[in-house]
């Protein structure tokens, strides 16, 4: 059995790891009785840790917010992860936390053991962070979303779509994910009875939040796949349906993101794709190197026509008459026999 000091540190670590623990759960983890848990909780409170207790079947212990910030307990991997995360945050996509990240990093590195400081320095010397130019997320928005995820409360917010349309949403937030220097919220939308992806920089949280909910299971692999599929609808400004004269398997292998592909035949399929501009979408489609037809996107059709004219002019006489040297009117041409 752990001694009292070691058990208190372990108990504190458990309370920091999850939002709510029942007394029997903590007792089982620590190998003690629920009475000992109550005694240890009182000891943590005397040390300044605001441990809250709620009675009943759905009650338990949680680490609350106090008047002052108590010491945090981090293992080696967590300390390194925090240090690297602070370095990344200084150049990341969250607005207003760069300077705070640097100050926090200085305090953390001051107390890191040499072995951990070496790991952090090795990571720093081997990587280069290039500041992003995309939209940044307000730090208060990120905190509000993360708090709703941790406390398992519904999140209410106003949302602006890519075309500027505003809507009010209430969702069960599941995870914040960063992809390409942009932050996204993966959440269950009860009104639509499905998972949805939201750009965090387009979210304006409402106070107060919604009621508590029971989190739904969503494996990590599914989160990545849903994010990649949802990124299109969350970020694309121009969307088009395109008919491709090629097998669906061939197109699926060429596309950089998982895109819904409808197989219409052995050599025919339809996809819904998008981009920030019609001009960029023309380049993406051209790189597929297959024949295609635009179904319902006049902006894309116009961009394709303009690009075709530009490429035709760029080819010039060489492109019209063939490879150099094929010009029959040049001085090096050979007369046809009479």
């Amino acid at each position: 059995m752990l001694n009292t000091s070691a058990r208190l540190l372990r108990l504190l670590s458990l309370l920091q790891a999850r939002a709510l623990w029942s007394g029997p759960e903590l007792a089982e983890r620590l190998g003690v009785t629920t009475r000992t848990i109550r005694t240890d909780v009182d000891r943590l409170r005397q040390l300044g840790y605001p441990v809250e207790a709620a009675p009943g079947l759905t009650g338990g212990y949680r680490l609350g917010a106090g008047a002052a910030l108590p010491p945090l307990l981090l293992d080696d991997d967590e300390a390194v992860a925090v240090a690297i995360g602070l370095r990344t945050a200084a150049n990341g996509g969250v607005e207003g936390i760069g300077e705070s990240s640097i100050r926090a990093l200085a305090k953390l590195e001051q107390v890191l053991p040499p072995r951990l400081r070496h790991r952090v320095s090795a990571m720093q010397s081997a990587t280069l962070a290039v500041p992003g130019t995309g939209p940044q997320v307000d730090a208060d928005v990120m905190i509000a979303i993360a708090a709703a995820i941790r406390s398992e409360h519904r999140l209410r917010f106003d949302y602006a779509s890519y075309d500027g349309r505003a809507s009010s949403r209430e969702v069960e937030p599941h995870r914040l994910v960063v992809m390409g220097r942009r932050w996204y919220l993966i959440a269950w939308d009860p009104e639509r009875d499905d998972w949805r992806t939201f750009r965090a920089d387009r979210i304006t949280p409402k106070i107060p939040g919604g009621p508590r909910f029971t989190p739904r299971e969503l494996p990590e692999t599914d989160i990545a796949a849903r994010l990649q599929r949802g990124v299109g609808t969350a970020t694309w400004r121009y969307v088009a349906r395109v008919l491709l004269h090629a097998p669906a398997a061939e197109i699926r292998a060429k596309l950089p993101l998982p895109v819904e592909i409808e197989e219409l035949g052995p050599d025919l399929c339809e996809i819904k794709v998008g981009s920030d501009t019609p001009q960029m979408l023309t380049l993406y489609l051209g790189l597929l190197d297959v024949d295609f037809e635009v179904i319902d996107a006049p902006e894309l059709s116009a961009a394709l026509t303009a690009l075709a004219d530009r490429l035709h002019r760029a080819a010039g006489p060489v492109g019209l008459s063939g490879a150099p040297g094929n010009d029959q009117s040049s001085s090096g041409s050979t007369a046809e026999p009479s």
Side-chain angles (χ1 to χ4, degrees):
M1 180 182 294
L2 297 173
N3 61 41
T4 301
S5 298
R7 193 174 65 245
L8 286 178
L9 291 175
R10 177 61 178 153
L11 175 59
L12 178 59
S13 178
L14 290 172
L15 291 173
Q16 290 176 343
R18 205 170 81 183
L20 184 68
W21 291 88
S22 69
E25 285 178 322
L26 291 174
E28 182 181 357
R29 288 293 188 98
L30 298 176
V32 296
T33 65
T34 55
R35 181 178 179 179
T36 301
I37 292 297
R38 289 194 296 271
T39 302
D40 287 347
V41 165
D42 288 336
R43 290 193 178 105
L44 287 178
R45 288 168 178 163
Q46 293 171 9
L47 293 172
Y49 293 95
V51 182
E52 301 172 354
L57 295 176
T58 60
Y61 297 99
R62 73 171 75 243
L63 192 60
L69 179 65
L72 296 177
L73 184 65
L74 301 175
D75 60 28
D76 286 3
D77 291 338
E78 289 171 342
V80 172
V82 169
I84 295 174
L86 288 171
R87 290 186 184 278
T88 304
N91 295 283
V94 182
E95 184 179 2
I97 68 169
E99 183 180 349
S100 301
S101 300
I102 294 173
R103 292 201 310 269
L105 179 61
K107 294 178 181 179
L108 179 60
E109 290 190 338
Q110 185 177 3
V111 298
L112 281 178
R115 68 181 188 281
L116 299 185
R117 193 179 299 116
H118 174 73
R119 289 169 61 182
V120 175
S121 298
M123 177 66 73
Q124 179 189 12
S125 62
T127 59
L128 174 65
V130 179
T133 57
Q136 290 189 316
V137 188
D138 187 273
D140 290 338
V141 172
M142 295 290 286
I143 292 172
I145 296 174
I149 294 173
R150 187 176 187 276
S151 65
E152 299 173 358
H153 279 75
R154 285 191 179 185
L155 182 68
R156 293 169 174 162
F157 59 92
D158 291 327
Y159 190 70
S161 63
Y162 63 85
D163 57 1
R165 289 179 299 152
S167 61
S168 295
R169 313 295 284 268
E170 180 175 324
V171 301
E172 299 174 1
H174 181 77
R175 191 71 56 86
L176 273 169
V177 187
V178 62
M179 179 178 178
R181 292 193 176 274
R182 285 179 175 172
W183 286 92
Y184 299 90
L185 169 64
I186 306 294
W188 177 264
D189 190 330
E191 183 178 346
R192 292 159 179 80
D193 196 31
D194 197 4
W195 293 97
R196 288 292 186 266
T197 303
F198 303 94
R199 277 256 302 262
D201 58 290
R202 294 175 177 164
I203 290 176
T204 304
K206 293 181 177 180
I207 304 297
R212 292 200 64 179
F213 66 91
T214 301
R216 299 169 186 269
E217 292 293 332
L218 186 63
E220 297 291 333
T221 53
D222 286 355
I223 291 177
R226 287 182 180 279
L227 175 62
Q228 289 180 313
R229 288 195 299 267
V231 160
T233 56
T235 62
W236 285 339
R237 183 166 185 172
Y238 293 94
V239 180
R241 288 193 304 127
V242 180
L243 197 64
L244 300 166
H245 294 269
E250 177 184 340
I251 299 302
R252 188 174 290 110
K254 291 182 177 181
L255 290 172
L257 292 175
V259 173
E260 297 285 342
I261 301 178
E262 182 181 356
E263 186 172 358
L264 302 179
D267 295 306
L268 190 66
C269 61
E270 181 183 314
I271 61 174
K272 184 178 181 181
V273 291
S275 181
D276 287 340
T277 66
Q279 291 76 18
M280 189 178 296
L281 189 53
T282 63
L283 299 179
Y284 291 159
L285 291 171
L287 291 174
L288 293 177
D289 195 28
V290 299
D291 291 337
F292 63 89
E293 304 170 34
V294 179
I295 299 177
D296 61 353
E299 301 96 336
L300 178 59
S301 298
L304 286 167
T305 301
L307 179 60
D309 292 342
R310 187 174 299 111
L311 294 176
H312 186 75
R313 292 193 300 270
V318 174
L320 296 176
S321 58
N326 287 345
D327 189 349
Q328 298 298 322
S329 63
S330 65
S331 57
S333 63
T334 302
E336 293 182 0
S338 57

